[in-house]
Amino acid sequence: MHILLTDQLACPRCGPEFGLIVLADRIADRRVESGTLGCANCRTGYPVEAGVADLRVEGSTLFFSPDPSVSEPEYALRLAALIGVQPPQTWVVVIDGSGAAAPAVSGYLPDARIVSITPGPAVPASAAPVQASPAPAQAADRVSKVFAGERMPFRSGGFRAVVVAGAPAPDLLRELGRLPGRGGRLVVTGGDDETVKILHEMGFTMLLREADTLVAAAPGGR
Ligand SMILES: [Zn+2]
């Protein structure tokens, strides 16, 4: 993960107001390869191994149904188009089942800082096989990989866009809804009437609804 992502992180146990401190064992090219992300409040240490931050609370699961068409060639281009042009150096979250979408999206949004959220393996990260990325190394290097459960390990309002390649459970959707900053976008490819209802309740404005795909703008934008 990129060292600057630390500023966006929050303890998934204690909540969005409780930031994390990085204790890096190895940093290469501004990326934390191994170390610990510590919460000063509950004293939990979350591991960073092989560059991936494991910010799951034990027993917590990321409840969403991944979109099966995520590996299709045009998929990432479509996601990038739905995210739209964003200011450089802004943070964008991409949630999908395998982590394949984020590097591909990153290739189309070279100025964005992409965070890839996946449910992570059931076994400890260190025991999991290393996944080969289909994207060029340069694009993959810009992506910060995070394993997360139902509580997003981030402060609120620090992202320009949040993309869900699939259908999030209502509680996860509400959690994701606090991540985009004023006017930031939330893109859901597996949305339905319930998704629209929840987003309206949270003050979002619908920008697009095309079959299952929804694009909404967070309150407070222009
Ligand atoms: Zn904590």
Side-chain angles (χ1 to χ4, degrees):
M1 57 161 263
H2 197 289
I3 184 84
L4 292 181
L5 180 63
T6 314
D7 296 342
Q8 303 290 344
L9 296 178
C11 179
R13 288 174 199 272
C14 300
E17 295 84 36
F18 296 89
L20 297 176
I21 298 153
V22 64
L23 301 161
D25 294 329
R26 200 158 69 83
I27 296 182
D29 195 22
R30 304 185 83 200
R31 304 183 63 81
V32 181
E33 294 297 328
S34 67
T36 305
L37 294 159
C39 173
N41 188 52
C42 70
R43 311 258 165 199
T44 301
Y46 301 93
V48 182
E49 290 173 8
V52 184
D54 190 344
L55 290 158
R56 294 174 293 181
V57 176
E58 208 173 308
S60 163
T61 312
L62 192 65
F63 285 110
F64 85 112
S65 310
D67 202 333
S69 56
V70 72
S71 54
E72 287 174 12
E74 297 297 315
Y75 194 91
L77 176 59
R78 186 160 162 269
L79 287 186
L82 294 170
I83 293 165
V85 177
Q86 301 292 345
Q89 313 297 316
T90 47
W91 291 100
V92 172
V93 167
V94 178
I95 299 180
D96 81 296
S98 66
V105 169
S106 174
Y108 293 110
L109 299 173
D111 293 331
R113 292 187 174 135
I114 309 276
V115 185
S116 173
I117 309 273
T118 57
V123 292
S126 54
V130 176
Q131 251 183 354
S133 168
Q138 207 185 354
D141 285 345
R142 282 198 301 269
V143 174
S144 293
K145 293 182 190 170
V146 172
F147 299 148
E150 59 199 318
R151 293 180 75 177
M152 283 293 114
F154 302 114
R155 294 173 181 275
S156 299
F159 295 87
R160 280 303 302 173
V162 174
V163 179
V164 187
D171 284 350
L172 176 61
L173 181 62
R174 288 188 187 94
E175 183 69 353
L176 295 172
R178 67 175 178 79
L179 301 184
R182 293 156 64 90
R185 285 189 181 182
L186 185 57
V187 177
V188 178
T189 67
D192 58 14
D193 289 344
E194 175 77 1
T195 315
V196 173
K197 185 168 162 278
I198 291 169
L199 290 176
H200 274 147
E201 283 167 6
M202 296 185 80
F204 278 80
T205 306
M206 280 302 148
L207 301 178
L208 174 97
R209 184 170 185 185
E210 197 181 273
D212 297 340
T213 300
L214 305 172
V215 182
R222 62 206 140 68

